[in-house]
Amino acid sequence: MSEERVGPLRYLYKHRFLILRRISQLTIMVLYIGGNIYGWKILQGNLSSSRFLDLVPLADPFAVLQMFFAGAIVGVDALVGALIILAFYAFVGGRAFCSWVCPMNVVTDFANWLRVKTNIHREEWQLRITRKTRYLALTLALVLSFILAMPAFEYVSPISILHRGLIFGMGLGWTMVLAIFLFDLFVIKNGWCGHVCPLGGFYSLVTKPSLIRVNYNKDRCTECMECVKICPESQVLHMVGKHSSIVNSGECINCGRCVEVCNDDAIYFTLRFKKEEVSHETK
Amino acid sequence: MAKDKPPTPRGETRRKFLVRTMQAIGISIVGGVVWGAFVKENTYDPLVIRPPGALPGDEFLKKCIKCGLCVEACANRPSVPYEGGKKKVTLRLATPGDNKPLGTPYFIPRDVPCYMCEDIPCVPACPTGALEPDLVSTLKDGQKKLDITKARMGVAVIDQKNCIAYWGLRCDACYRVCPLLDKAIYIEVYRNPRTGKHAFMVPKVDPDHCTGCGLCEHACVTEKAAIFVLPRDIALGRAGKHYMKGWEEQQPQEAPERIRGLGHESVENYLNTEDLLNE
């Protein structure tokens, strides 16, 4: 159906989730900045903990978990906020935080885009580390929080540094952001978000049951592999060309890039329990 | 994929497993040490001045989630002063390069002091309890009420060598600006023996009342403030329990067991009666 569209309309259609994601990231950022500078009551605070509409507390569940490991009994607001966020991503959104909210996503996507455009770094030069490194980082974050009695990742987190920096003033925080950018550009493709980030690892573990899922339908697939090429977590698309299935891994960030690039409508967003017309054929 | 591989020789899987395990342990240890050192270095600053109600030292670092809600509560007051078209916000969040624990709120009194808002907006804004309302509350009619005079953000210290009032010049800028005038800062008057006919009128700080808001440091007329706020555990000494203030009535009850049991007379003579050398 997308073949009918031509020119700019087609371009928009082929990038619809990318555009929506950038709008989402930008809107959230603007609301936070307005919250600080002009006192808007829509989103106050930052991604670590905030108040929505001056009423609903929101908090980063991983930060609260680290505090728990550090031996702190945090206040009710932070606890409730963490549960709200956790429940939303775990049962509805999946790892959408990483692709729709996190400001670092813009940086790493830019590094990736540049990498593709300029071929600046060839595959064979790439440092190879396992994507499981993030779970190691996650474990270390909790162990260190326990040993040092303070939330360990929160003190080094480039996500927080970037997001706080944009709202409250950057200081030398840009060096950290640059470091991540160069790491993704020269060292490993999708290095930070896909391999190292413990927050991504945390969401990977807890968002497995989420409702919104990418679905792959083998019957429509022509195996062009565009989806696997573009996917920042390509290991979650292991079923492409093999069998129809929803993307069940928590590591999928629900960014929708695979949906956009698929010219055969073989990949699309769906709800976990929705009955598929072809689900009985292949499993 | 698995089909293409030649059959693994005996023990190779196990060897691989052991090597992988050792590698993972190695990475964890090195990473943990570097990361831990970075966090420790990052969080070390004994001189930071925190908002009212902040838990002491490490307890605060443990609980602060670095969200900046206190900073925003502080910034979005109708009463926030403007200078050169720019808001003068007391609280700020530490960014890399500030050499303060990253992301935690602090203020620099010489730049912008704490104006001691009566409703203390920063404290209820804190979602985690790192700013504890109980630390800045008094009991009134059986109800807890926020009371900014309970705040102990730090304590003002006077450099008597460079305070011009101690030179005998007339200055009471810090005294006049103090929100707890005559309590936290009071003026002591005594004769100036150099001239023989003038008076010294020198400011003094009473740490029992000083909240550490820093209005005095902000107002100080000297080039570099001669009165400045330091964290209380840095600035204040401690005499120890074995020192008694005999002139304060309730003291005998707090005296050590050894002395308390003795009568009035023996208290006066206890140095003589007890065999201290053979103790």
Side-chain angles (χ1 to χ4, degrees):
Chain A
M1 35 167 107
S2 51
E3 286 83 23
E4 300 150 19
R5 296 185 171 90
V6 282
L9 209 59
R10 180 173 161 76
Y11 180 87
L12 284 182
Y13 181 73
K14 293 306 276 182
H15 294 82
R16 57 195 185 278
F17 292 116
L18 184 66
I19 293 163
L20 283 176
R21 268 168 49 214
R22 293 292 174 259
I23 292 174
S24 153
Q25 285 158 337
L26 197 72
T27 312
I28 289 170
M29 205 64 236
V30 166
L31 288 179
Y32 274 123
I33 293 174
N36 181 42
I37 298 180
Y38 305 112
W40 297 348
K41 303 275 186 208
I42 306 168
L43 271 176
Q44 292 170 294
N46 65 24
L47 290 178
S48 300
S49 183
S50 33
R51 284 185 85 76
F52 179 56
L53 299 176
D54 206 20
L55 181 74
V56 187
L58 302 171
D60 174 0
F62 184 50
V64 172
L65 187 67
Q66 288 172 67
M67 289 177 172
F68 178 71
F69 270 77
I73 308 295
V74 296
V76 182
D77 273 11
L79 213 56
V80 171
L83 286 177
I84 291 174
I85 291 288
L86 187 66
F88 175 74
Y89 288 125
F91 300 118
V92 185
R95 218 182 121 191
F97 170 82
C98 298
S99 53
W100 293 77
V101 179
C102 182
M104 197 50 94
N105 174 267
V106 182
V107 177
T108 58
D109 271 2
F110 180 50
N112 214 0
W113 177 81
L114 212 61
R115 174 187 266 277
V116 172
K117 282 282 166 206
T118 58
N119 202 13
I120 206 165
H121 181 71
R122 281 182 274 152
E123 277 300 300
E124 61 265 29
W125 297 348
Q126 181 157 280
L127 180 76
R128 301 228 173 257
I129 62 168
T130 161
R131 284 186 182 266
K132 294 211 165 59
T133 309
R134 53 184 142 196
Y135 303 115
L136 193 68
L138 172 68
T139 316
L140 263 182
L142 296 180
V143 170
L144 281 177
S145 297
F146 179 75
I147 294 173
L148 300 170
M150 47 187 73
F153 180 59
E154 293 308 297
Y155 280 100
V156 295
S157 163
I159 308 159
S160 310
I161 288 175
L162 173 61
H163 195 251
R164 259 199 323 265
L166 290 170
I167 302 174
F168 299 103
M170 190 61 91
L172 287 176
W174 61 268
T175 52
M176 194 77 154
V177 180
L178 184 68
I180 299 287
F181 176 73
L182 295 177
F183 179 67
D184 270 29
L185 186 58
F186 290 114
V187 186
I188 311 176
K189 188 177 175 203
N190 298 309
W192 171 255
C193 302
H195 293 73
V196 184
C197 178
L199 182 60
F202 174 78
Y203 279 128
S204 297
L205 290 180
V206 298
T207 61
K208 215 171 151 22
S210 87
L211 199 59
I212 298 175
R213 282 288 151 192
V214 166
N215 187 48
Y216 167 69
N217 184 340
K218 184 174 184 295
D219 298 344
R220 296 183 191 166
C221 178
T222 57
E223 297 186 25
C224 67
M225 291 293 162
E226 285 299 325
C227 53
V228 180
K229 263 183 248 163
I230 205 139
C231 179
E233 300 274 355
S234 47
Q235 77 283 6
V236 306
L237 288 174
H238 56 82
M239 75 289 279
V240 169
K242 298 195 181 100
H243 55 87
S244 298
S245 158
I246 60 164
V247 174
N248 229 331
S249 167
E251 288 172 0
C252 170
I253 61 175
N254 270 348
C255 65
R257 291 294 278 142
C258 55
V259 179
E260 295 167 340
V261 297
C262 184
N263 285 320
D264 310 315
D265 292 316
I267 298 190
Y268 41 88
F269 277 116
T270 185
L271 299 180
R272 179 178 284 275
F273 304 111
K274 202 173 158 197
K275 266 270 178 274
E276 291 299 326
E277 67 268 36
V278 286
S279 60
H280 58 276
E281 286 180 21
T282 41
K283 191 76 217 197
Chain B
M1 279 262 276
K3 271 184 251 165
D4 305 338
K5 276 187 193 162
T8 44
R10 270 173 76 83
E12 197 186 290
T13 335
R14 180 173 44 195
R15 206 174 310 138
K16 213 171 177 182
F17 167 76
L18 286 174
V19 168
R20 282 273 167 84
T21 311
M22 293 313 286
Q23 278 175 339
I25 293 174
I27 294 172
S28 309
I29 290 174
V30 173
V33 167
V34 173
W35 187 346
F38 190 81
V39 170
K40 261 292 169 210
E41 183 59 33
N42 201 353
T43 52
Y44 178 76
D45 183 15
L47 291 176
V48 66
I49 307 287
R50 299 267 184 228
L55 296 171
D58 280 353
E59 285 298 308
F60 180 82
L61 294 180
K62 210 184 269 186
K63 277 200 176 181
C64 175
I65 200 168
K66 310 169 185 56
C67 63
L69 281 169
C70 54
V71 174
E72 294 185 354
C74 181
N76 296 311
R77 304 249 88 196
S79 57
V80 168
Y82 278 77
E83 206 167 83
K86 227 184 149 221
K87 257 194 219 177
K88 291 199 80 181
V89 178
T90 304
L91 288 180
R92 37 175 113 173
L93 284 192
T95 62
D98 284 353
N99 293 319
K100 303 267 187 296
L102 206 57
T104 56
Y106 73 103
F107 68 101
I108 299 174
R110 187 63 163 167
D111 295 346
V112 189
C114 169
Y115 290 99
M116 287 178 55
C117 315
E118 276 184 24
D119 53 344
I120 329 181
C122 49
V123 174
C126 180
T128 61
L131 303 179
E132 173 60 62
D134 284 355
L135 291 177
V136 280
S137 298
T138 40
L139 221 54
K140 229 179 216 171
D141 314 321
Q143 265 189 338
K144 260 187 220 149
K145 273 196 86 176
L146 286 173
D147 178 6
I148 186 64
T149 62
K150 284 275 183 186
R152 293 293 178 264
M153 297 170 268
V155 67
V157 176
I158 299 173
D159 173 6
Q160 303 189 0
K161 207 64 187 186
N162 292 301
C163 170
I164 57 168
Y166 281 81
W167 294 0
L169 301 183
R170 187 79 169 84
C171 173
D172 56 7
C174 56
Y175 168 75
R176 290 288 162 202
V177 83
C178 180
L180 297 171
L181 184 135
D182 274 330
K183 276 186 186 155
I185 300 184
Y186 55 94
I187 296 284
E188 219 168 68
V189 181
Y190 51 93
R191 203 173 117 94
N192 182 346
R194 186 171 54 80
T195 64
K197 57 183 175 185
H198 298 99
F200 284 117
M201 295 177 73
V202 298
K204 295 260 170 152
V205 176
D206 184 350
D208 291 348
H209 288 107
C210 180
T211 64
C213 69
L215 275 157
C216 52
E217 180 175 345
H218 184 65
C220 183
V221 302
T222 56
E223 198 172 289
K224 184 167 172 289
I227 183 166
F228 42 85
V229 175
L230 289 177
R232 292 178 73 87
D233 51 351
I234 299 264
L236 297 180
R238 193 182 316 114
K241 279 203 172 119
H242 54 289
Y243 283 100
M244 297 184 297
K245 292 176 182 168
W247 57 91
E248 281 180 14
E249 268 184 41
Q250 76 279 21
Q251 282 304 313
Q253 276 114 35
E254 288 172 21
E257 195 67 32
R258 188 159 64 100
I259 302 162
R260 203 186 303 152
L262 308 171
H264 178 73
E265 202 141 303
S266 30
V267 168
E268 281 182 347
N269 288 322
Y270 82 104
L271 283 176
N272 304 326
T273 50
E274 267 184 63
D275 197 356
L276 293 169
L277 287 175
N278 285 336
E279 210 171 34

